[in-house]
Amino acid sequence: MIHIKLKQAILLFLTVGTLQAHAQKATTISVNTDKIITEIQPTMWGLFFEDINFGADGGLYAELVKNRSFEFDNPLMGWKEFQSERFSVRNSSGRIMIINRGSSYSNPRFARVSVFKDKGYGLNNEGFKGMGIKQGNTYHFSVSANPIEGNPVMRLELVDPKGQVIGSASVKPEGKGWNTYTASIKATSTEAKATLQIWFDGTGVIDIDMVSLFPSDTWKNRPNGLRADLVQKLADMKPGFLRFPGGCIVEGRDLDNRYQWKKTVGKVEDREMIINRWNTEFAHRPAPDYFQSFGLGFFEYFLLSEDIGAEPLPILSCGLACQFNTAEVVPMDEIEPYIQDALDLVEFANGEVTTKWGKLRADMGHPAPFNMKYIGVGNEQWGPQYIERYKVFAKAIKEKYPDMIIISGTGPFPEGELFDYAKKELKDLDAEIIDEHYYNKPEWFFKNASRYDNYDRKGPKVFAGEYAAQSVATVSPENKNNWECALSEAAFMTGLERNAEVVHMCSYAPLFAHAEGWQWTPDLIWFDNLASYATPNYYVQKLFANYKGTHLLAATSGNEKLAGKDGLYASSVWDKNSSEVILKIVNATGKVQQTVWKVEGNKKLGKSAAIISLTGPQLTSVNEIGGPETIAPVESSTTVKSKSVALTLQPNSFTVVRIKTQ
Ligand code: AHR
């Protein structure tokens, strides 16, 4: 009896073993390092920046004071008065009055503070959803002040939500006329929701403007600087380019509200503030306190691009406001100033310091040119009104700057009438690089991994300028940066890479979101006032960008590309700088898949392969601010035997494998 059971067990074991062996028959993926298809553009993977979701003011731009120059529509938005006594309008400790100098000033308003009772009057600024203050860090306060009567001292306090003072200093404005006064405040504790309290001690009248507070630990410790943790995340991606300043913000809700770069350069206090177009865009995410101070303006964008080694890619208004909003156009016979803005921008970025705009760049601290090579005409425009305007821009730019590479747009959708029209027209016009946008469900991204396989190699090159998988639907506030979305983007990106002959630039969008202040989700990097975290989508972008290679190779299985067969998606590159052959592979099935990566060609391979894999416990898994990093790259290594690597691909995973060659 026992004997029979043992026999049965052995039989069962062998059967299961054979079945498993059969089920796990490894897929062979071949790459030949001698067969280079094309060069990978250094710009292949880049960044899209837009001031949406409090990405600039309240985000990347490290200013902590909201409405620092009283220019919001409601000039006291973000500010509160504190009175120790207030008996009546005539009998109080102090008073604030907003004075408007009129439209000949770019920053027309300032505040006149009258103090009637010593230590009885103060102003409080709430910051952007509070101010993120870190224990031991120093904060630089500055104010432009003009004492009119008496000489009230400004006593400064950083205050936590319980009213505890967590840092203090004072400034004593003296003499006549406007001057800038500064003080440093050292924080005694960490607080995400601190506010800035300014007490006016003594009595008298004082005018104040440009009330500012910056952490000292900005990126490269620059004054008027950027949040270092956020810039670090951008730098870590090693992006090929930085597209700025958007997005729809370029176009404006109407033409008055468009982005005008000239108003964002020069002295910070002279930059004219405007409402942010995302302020009122979505009724479900209103942001009445969202304005653009332009403290982060075009000079700072160029500097940021330089710092992180990215080609600057400014996108300019083409005289056509957002077609989802007003669709206002500037008449063709009045378009000249818009074109001049584009030409002047090239001079600002690249011109000799003896030119008007080159001199401004030098005066701002950067005499060397920024070496701008790309310029975008319009963002997400469509129809004949766009093509008509694009034509005159392209002609003028090429006449003056023949080497400048122009990016044109195909509108908001990756297929359909608007897209087909723009694509055909732009091809007929010999456009160089066309910008395509795709916000779609993960299924679309998986399905479109072959999108560019049959694109005309002789037509315009592609800038996949805005893409992100939407877990629910485009502009749904329920969209999540979940693992399924990131995985589908990875699969799609193998298709972008596989078509590097035609795809020259790619960027996920949008880039940043404040956890409490967002309008649009999903986004690549989320932050609050103190910390930031990387989404799974960020890690996908980072892995592609960090291992972009220099030359494209073919990754095939039985002579076929891997673009969804058996749920596998793959692409491969050679990196002449690191002498590595690199495979990127997505397993989009819920089961483990065994694969063998076979590297053919004359290169002598090293003995081990470095593996980085990314996967999530569930397709719905996300990373969270302050939480553990549920989805993060995991590194390992394996041996290379007979020019092959055995790879066990985890269910729903993205893996990058690198082999050094000698
Ligand atoms: O990325 C968010 C928005 O999506 C961009 O501003 C716009 O270009 C697109 O419609």
Side-chain angles (χ1 to χ4, degrees), residues 281-469:
E281 185 74 18
F282 297 124
H284 57 271
R285 296 290 303 174
D289 57 346
Y290 202 0
F291 287 74
Q292 300 179 80
S293 71
F294 296 120
L296 168 53
F298 260 40
F299 178 80
E300 290 77 18
Y301 285 125
F302 278 113
L303 209 55
L304 173 62
S305 308
E306 186 173 83
D307 286 350
I308 61 177
E311 294 289 349
L313 167 51
I315 308 281
L316 299 188
S317 159
C318 64
L320 176 46
C322 182
Q323 288 159 287
F324 288 115
N325 302 143
T326 63
E328 249 180 23
V329 288
V330 66
M332 288 305 289
D333 57 1
E334 289 173 31
I335 203 167
E336 199 279 330
Y338 291 72
I339 295 176
Q340 195 56 49
D341 274 359
L343 300 177
D344 291 342
L345 179 63
V346 185
E347 187 176 292
F348 176 73
N350 297 350
E352 297 288 329
V353 297
T354 47
T355 61
K356 175 179 170 191
W357 293 104
K359 178 173 181 315
L360 177 60
R361 182 192 72 239
D363 291 348
M364 290 184 77
H366 203 286
F370 281 119
N371 252 319
M372 161 185 164
K373 302 186 187 87
Y374 301 88
I375 191 165
V377 175
N379 170 46
E380 201 176 57
Q381 266 76 45
W382 64 77
Q385 60 274 55
Y386 172 61
I387 298 297
E388 204 183 1
R389 283 163 183 75
Y390 163 77
K391 273 188 206 161
V392 291
F393 267 82
K395 183 165 179 288
I397 295 170
K398 284 288 177 188
E399 258 166 34
K400 189 148 186 203
Y401 300 107
D403 294 337
M404 193 56 56
I405 300 171
I406 302 177
I407 312 285
S408 49
T410 53
F413 311 115
E415 52 239 329
E417 204 186 332
L418 298 179
F419 177 81
D420 293 342
Y421 168 78
K423 209 174 141 212
K424 179 178 178 316
E425 292 289 320
L426 292 167
K427 181 172 190 271
D428 291 350
L429 290 167
D430 277 336
E432 292 162 295
I433 305 189
I434 59 172
D435 181 9
E436 302 187 2
H437 293 180
Y438 357 85
Y439 294 103
N440 255 308
K441 301 272 286 178
E443 298 85 273
W444 185 94
F445 284 85
F446 284 121
K447 215 167 107 203
N448 276 272
S450 301
R451 176 178 173 92
Y452 294 107
D453 290 357
N454 300 317
Y455 253 52
D456 181 1
R457 267 40 187 169
K458 297 205 178 78
K461 303 303 176 205
V462 170
F463 172 26
E466 291 185 32
Y467 60 89

Side-chain angles (χ1 to χ4, degrees), residues 48 50 52 247-248 278 379-380 437 439 466 509-510 520:
F48 161 98
E50 175 165 24
I52 185 172
C248 292
W278 297 106
N379 170 46
E380 201 176 57
H437 293 180
Y439 294 103
E466 291 185 32
W520 180 295

Side-chain angles (χ1 to χ4, degrees), residues 364-585:
M364 290 184 77
H366 203 286
F370 281 119
N371 252 319
M372 161 185 164
K373 302 186 187 87
Y374 301 88
I375 191 165
V377 175
N379 170 46
E380 201 176 57
Q381 266 76 45
W382 64 77
Q385 60 274 55
Y386 172 61
I387 298 297
E388 204 183 1
R389 283 163 183 75
Y390 163 77
K391 273 188 206 161
V392 291
F393 267 82
K395 183 165 179 288
I397 295 170
K398 284 288 177 188
E399 258 166 34
K400 189 148 186 203
Y401 300 107
D403 294 337
M404 193 56 56
I405 300 171
I406 302 177
I407 312 285
S408 49
T410 53
F413 311 115
E415 52 239 329
E417 204 186 332
L418 298 179
F419 177 81
D420 293 342
Y421 168 78
K423 209 174 141 212
K424 179 178 178 316
E425 292 289 320
L426 292 167
K427 181 172 190 271
D428 291 350
L429 290 167
D430 277 336
E432 292 162 295
I433 305 189
I434 59 172
D435 181 9
E436 302 187 2
H437 293 180
Y438 357 85
Y439 294 103
N440 255 308
K441 301 272 286 178
E443 298 85 273
W444 185 94
F445 284 85
F446 284 121
K447 215 167 107 203
N448 276 272
S450 301
R451 176 178 173 92
Y452 294 107
D453 290 357
N454 300 317
Y455 253 52
D456 181 1
R457 267 40 187 169
K458 297 205 178 78
K461 303 303 176 205
V462 170
F463 172 26
E466 291 185 32
Y467 60 89
Q470 315 283 300
S471 62
V472 178
T474 314
V475 309
S476 165
E478 302 307 323
N479 285 330
K480 298 277 181 278
N481 281 96
N482 69 27
W483 175 235
E484 184 183 23
C485 289
L487 188 69
S488 71
E489 288 152 11
F492 180 69
M493 289 163 76
T494 62
L496 297 176
E497 186 168 271
R498 197 156 34 73
N499 286 285
E501 274 172 300
V502 67
V503 181
H504 282 193
M505 307 173 105
C506 313
S507 45
Y508 182 100
L511 184 57
F512 284 125
H514 191 297
E516 292 168 52
W518 57 272
Q519 296 79 50
W520 180 295
T521 175
D523 305 285
L524 202 62
I525 298 167
W526 289 74
F527 59 88
D528 63 15
N529 288 347
L530 288 172
S532 53
Y533 79 93
T535 58
N537 317 70
Y538 171 87
Y539 285 124
V540 167
Q541 294 292 320
K542 185 175 165 193
L543 289 174
F544 270 88
N546 283 194
Y547 303 108
K548 66 171 173 271
T550 51
H551 296 83
L552 181 66
L553 305 170
T556 54
S557 177
N559 281 330
E560 272 180 53
K561 67 182 181 216
L562 279 159
K565 187 167 176 277
D566 298 330
L568 293 176
Y569 301 78
S571 56
S572 178
V573 294
W574 158 247
D575 191 322
K576 72 165 191 239
N577 303 319
S578 62
S579 301
E580 284 176 334
V581 49
I582 301 168
L583 177 74
K584 301 187 183 85
I585 183 158

